[in-house]
Amino acid sequence: MNMKKWLTAALACSVFALAACGGSNTEKAASPAQPASSEKVYRVAMNAEFAPFESLNTTNQVEGFDVDLVNAMAKAGNFKVEFKHQPWDSLFPALGNGDVDFLTSAITITDDRKQTMDFTKPYFEITQVILVPKGKEIKSVEDLKKANKVGVVTGNTGDFAASKILGNESPKIARFENLPLLIKDLESGGLDAVISDSAVVANYVKNNSDKGFSMVAVPDFDIENYGIAVRKGDTATLNMLNDALERVRSTGEYDQIYSKYFAK
């Protein structure tokens, strides 16, 4: 092949190669962009042993006031959630370690807890009350001081209240891992009284009217509020939840959920 023919052929190949490359790029650019699968699902932990706020149904799915409220908030705020039931004493470490994104478990907002986590605006108001079995004459804090055994759930606000009245190391305080175990011991006669949240105690008395238990409200216990707990400094999640909570309140859906669980 002479030099002139060789240059002509080489030029033709170069043009063809460039066209082929250009065709490849054009085809790639024309392809539709794939949607990013980065939509976050917020992991929500709770101790589902505190009806009617959270409990497990017959298929081991979480249910209750807190569950319905968070689901309504997720819909209003256009985000997704998945719930996880775990022991009460593991909730706060799981939040701090980043294993979960927030906690919804009838958690009382306290100054001590606010040192290590942030809370949404309050979503439920309660106080501590005394659950008294039939045959026990306990109507005041002074009566409570004379009792042999007072049951509480370890780390709950009722535990703090009992410690304040009887002393943190008092042998009169019987601490339990969860509410079902606490109630079981009360029903079997092992306790003279229980201190717990008013809405939870009221729910138990309402659903067990045949057992003759009574709820005693005393002025010695302060008004408290539940809040959703997020990691300290996680303002993005906190603002998202506060905004969603406000939306649920403003539409009246909060009142509907409340009536479902607490209508008299």
Side-chain angles (χ1 to χ4, degrees):
M1 181 181 293
N2 61 35
M3 183 61 68
K4 184 176 180 180
K5 288 184 177 180
W6 184 88
L7 288 174
T8 302
L11 180 61
C13 289
S14 298
V15 171
F16 178 79
L18 288 172
C21 291
S24 176
N25 285 341
T26 302
E27 183 179 357
K28 185 176 181 180
S31 298
Q34 296 299 314
S37 57
S38 59
E39 185 176 18
K40 182 172 181 178
V41 177
Y42 289 85
R43 300 160 299 171
V44 188
M46 57 175 51
N47 175 233
E49 298 171 313
F50 208 64
F53 290 95
E54 40 267 326
S55 59
L56 296 176
N57 62 21
T58 55
T59 60
N60 283 327
Q61 299 297 309
V62 294
E63 63 180 11
F65 178 85
D66 284 350
V67 177
D68 286 4
L69 177 60
V70 170
N71 279 329
M73 289 169 59
K75 184 177 179 181
N78 196 30
F79 58 90
K80 295 183 178 180
V81 294
E82 61 179 20
F83 297 98
K84 181 183 180 184
H85 160 59
Q86 58 189 71
W88 169 264
D89 60 6
S90 74
L91 292 179
F92 301 134
L95 180 65
N97 294 336
D99 296 331
V100 298
D101 298 302
F102 60 89
L103 308 176
T104 307
S105 194
I107 301 172
T108 302
I109 302 171
T110 67
D111 290 337
D112 184 57
R113 287 172 178 164
K114 285 193 289 186
Q115 299 301 309
T116 56
M117 64 196 76
D118 290 330
F119 285 94
T120 62
K121 295 176 181 178
Y123 70 85
F124 203 95
E125 182 180 282
I126 55 99
T127 186
Q128 297 303 300
V129 295
I130 307 170
L131 176 61
V132 183
K134 186 177 182 180
K136 299 291 183 180
E137 292 296 323
I138 297 178
K139 298 181 179 180
S140 67
V141 167
E142 291 304 313
D143 292 337
L144 201 63
K145 292 178 180 178
K146 300 172 186 176
N148 292 319
K149 285 291 180 181
V150 177
V152 298
V153 174
T154 302
N156 277 13
T157 319
D159 188 359
F160 304 152
S163 296
K164 185 177 180 180
I165 295 167
L166 304 172
N168 187 56
E169 302 300 325
S170 172
K172 291 187 175 185
I173 301 176
R175 293 181 170 90
F176 294 80
E177 181 182 349
N178 55 57
L179 188 68
L181 290 176
L182 172 61
I183 295 298
K184 184 177 180 180
D185 204 54
L186 180 69
E187 291 176 340
S188 66
L191 301 171
D192 297 313
V194 159
I195 301 177
S196 192
D197 296 15
S198 52
V200 173
V201 172
N203 179 71
Y204 172 79
V205 172
K206 175 184 176 181
N207 292 316
N208 295 274
S209 57
D210 59 316
K211 296 180 179 178
F213 284 57
S214 59
M215 182 176 78
V216 178
V218 293
D220 306 71
F221 298 136
D222 297 328
I223 298 295
E224 302 166 348
N225 288 283
Y226 292 158
I228 300 173
V230 305
R231 265 185 302 283
K232 194 72 176 175
D234 186 0
T235 54
T237 301
L238 187 67
N239 292 339
M240 178 192 72
L241 293 173
N242 275 327
D243 180 67
L245 178 59
E246 179 59 33
R247 289 170 184 262
V248 171
R249 286 189 182 278
S250 65
T251 61
E253 191 168 4
Y254 177 94
D255 294 332
Q256 294 175 14
I257 298 170
Y258 184 96
S259 297
K260 174 181 175 181
Y261 291 96
F262 304 106
K264 295 182 179 179

